[in-house]
Amino acid sequence: MRRRSTLADLLAMHTPLARWGFTTLAVLSVLTAQPGPFLVTAALAAYAWRCHRG
């Protein structure tokens, strides 16, 4: 029986590009003092690191 795709699979959150990309965007938004984008990208980065299959 085929396994159902999760949201993390559909968004490819387990890839290095997702982990490092969202982390970089979160750091850049902090450095440019943008709290709104920081909250979104920090949450996505945390989720991407949590989904890591290493």
Side-chain angles (χ1 to χ4, degrees):
M1 186 170 199
R2 190 167 172 238
R3 180 175 80 85
R4 288 181 61 189
S5 294
T6 62
L7 182 61
D9 291 335
L10 294 173
L11 296 176
M13 294 297 277
H14 57 275
T15 63
L17 179 62
R19 288 191 307 272
W20 291 107
F22 286 125
T23 302
T24 302
L25 288 174
V27 169
L28 287 174
S29 63
V30 165
L31 293 175
T32 58
Q34 297 179 358
F38 168 72
L39 293 175
V40 173
T41 55
L44 288 170
Y47 186 69
W49 282 99
R50 186 175 160 262
C51 292
H52 176 57
R53 297 178 186 166

